[in-house]
Amino acid sequence: MSQILVVGSLAYDSIQTPAGKAPKTLGGSANYFSLAASLLSKVRVVGVVGDDYAQEDYQLLEKRDVDLSGLEKVKGKTFHWEGYYEGTLNEAKTLKTDLNVFEHFNPKLPASFKDSQFVFLANIAPELQLQVLSQVDKPKFVGMDTMNFWISSKKSALLDVLKKVNVILINEGESQMLTGAANAIAAATEISKMGPEAVVIKRGEYGFVLFHRDHGFFSLPAMTIKDVIDPTGAGDTFAGGFFGTLASMDRRPSFEDMKKACVVGTLLASFTIQDFGVKSLAKVTLNDLRSRRHDYKKIVSFEKDFVEI
Ligand code: AMP
């Protein structure tokens, strides 16, 4: 099994959704990613937290055997994001982004992390993504995420990161913002011209579109969840399931591997949205995941003779 290195935010989020409010709840792209990926593979985290970061929040990752030797703790406040959702819950609206300790973060990889084969540059400033990637010796497969905040404030650094990755996982709205394309299909093809061989567009309740430059499209809906409590972290969870699956296969990922990885990402994300923050995801077991695979298969598949044409 290969090791996945992830750099991203570790955060306290203040979230409001039609289901209620969660002030200062544990979040951050690296937390969601690691909780998901560590169900399937070994994970190493690079990031920074402030002196307000709770002991029990470290323990959540330690319990999943995540290597935290690249996680710095410095004087100051942990990253804080405040946002809300309305209507269909497919798009987060940001009220406030307090970078706090991330503002002066200068990531330095522990020597033991440099041989990581799989690298995921989760949502964080593109300069930090580049700084981390440049310190990894010879990664087999590199992925990234980003968001509107960085597309509008750091576009040129973001385009530099795009040239160096094998895959990008990005929200539908943000894919359109990045390319100016009118829909996810057009955006995926445009983004693949910017560098990555594969592009995964996440479409909230409508699922995902995977596009590979040499193999074309693969697309499925999300799992059918009636009571969505809080969609925060669904995208990072998807990425964790995606990378966890690929790293567990321990080879250069093929298009078929990526299709399977997207299904696992979809399944894991469906747990995250069932409670605020990381609460639901932190409890998920491999058996829960298997049982959801069973339910999902009934929803998305049919026998070839079912429709007679
Ligand atoms: P997702 O809903 O999967 O797109 O990601 C939600 C997570 O992203 C939240 O837990 C936030 O803490 C984190 N987040 C929000 N804004 C930023 C940002 N500008 N940089 C890094 N992480 C962020």
Side-chain angles (χ1 to χ4, degrees), residues 16-282:
Q16 190 167 353
T17 79
K21 275 185 185 179
K24 302 249 163 105
T25 189
L26 182 66
S29 53
N31 264 321
Y32 286 105
F33 179 92
S34 303
L35 283 169
S38 59
L39 278 169
L40 306 149
S41 280
K42 299 279 285 174
V43 181
R44 299 163 161 174
V45 174
V46 175
V48 64
V49 294
D51 44 20
D52 56 347
Y53 203 71
Q55 202 53 35
E56 72 230 38
D57 294 335
Y58 282 104
Q59 284 161 0
L60 216 53
L61 293 182
E62 279 167 353
K63 270 194 259 163
R64 292 262 173 97
D65 213 15
V66 174
D67 187 339
L68 297 181
S69 50
L71 182 56
E72 269 181 57
K73 185 175 189 166
V74 301
K75 213 164 170 296
K77 280 194 163 173
T78 298
F79 179 96
H80 173 244
W81 175 75
E82 192 176 335
Y84 69 98
Y85 301 81
E86 297 170 319
T88 62
L89 298 178
N90 280 333
E91 194 195 344
K93 301 261 174 42
T94 295
L95 290 170
K96 212 156 145 228
T97 303
D98 302 316
L99 293 176
N100 296 335
V101 291
F102 265 105
E103 205 155 353
H104 302 292
F105 182 46
N106 188 6
K108 202 155 173 347
L109 248 54
S112 60
F113 280 18
K114 291 183 186 281
D115 66 352
S116 303
Q117 294 291 296
F118 286 75
V119 177
F120 189 66
L121 310 169
N123 180 24
I124 194 67
E127 294 94 337
L128 293 179
Q129 294 178 317
L130 282 173
Q131 244 176 296
V132 167
L133 185 58
S134 68
Q135 294 174 59
V136 186
D137 288 339
K138 214 169 164 273
K140 203 185 284 185
F141 195 73
V142 182
M144 71 179 287
D145 188 359
T146 193
M147 71 179 293
N148 45 18
F149 187 77
W150 306 116
I151 300 172
S152 50
S153 63
K154 300 274 171 73
K155 179 121 182 229
S156 127
L158 186 65
L159 293 176
D160 285 344
V161 191
L162 261 169
K163 290 189 195 113
K164 296 183 160 60
V165 301
N166 301 94
V167 63
I168 178 171
L169 298 100
I170 186 170
N171 284 346
E172 179 165 28
E174 287 154 359
S175 73
Q176 291 169 350
M177 183 177 170
L178 182 62
T179 58
N183 62 61
I185 308 297
T189 45
E190 282 310 307
I191 295 173
S192 77
K193 292 180 198 153
M194 299 173 175
E197 69 193 57
V199 179
V200 179
I201 311 252
K202 300 166 288 179
R203 313 174 83 182
E205 66 179 307
Y206 307 111
F208 69 87
V209 173
L210 163 67
F211 175 71
H212 191 286
R213 195 189 290 136
D214 303 327
H215 304 280
F217 287 99
F218 178 66
S219 177
L220 282 170
M223 176 67 191
T224 47
I225 301 292
K226 184 164 76 68
D227 296 315
V228 179
I229 303 298
D230 171 19
T232 310
D236 307 314
T237 306
F238 184 108
F242 181 87
F243 256 70
T245 303
L246 296 178
S248 73
M249 293 171 172
D250 219 2
R251 56 180 178 239
R252 174 85 177 64
S254 67
F255 183 53
E256 285 306 303
D257 296 341
M258 289 188 221
K259 285 160 69 173
K260 290 176 190 162
C262 281
V263 171
V264 178
T266 299
L267 296 177
L268 274 172
S270 74
F271 288 102
T272 292
I273 64 177
Q274 290 185 298
D275 207 339
F276 279 104
V278 300
K279 273 199 202 106
S280 165
L281 177 64

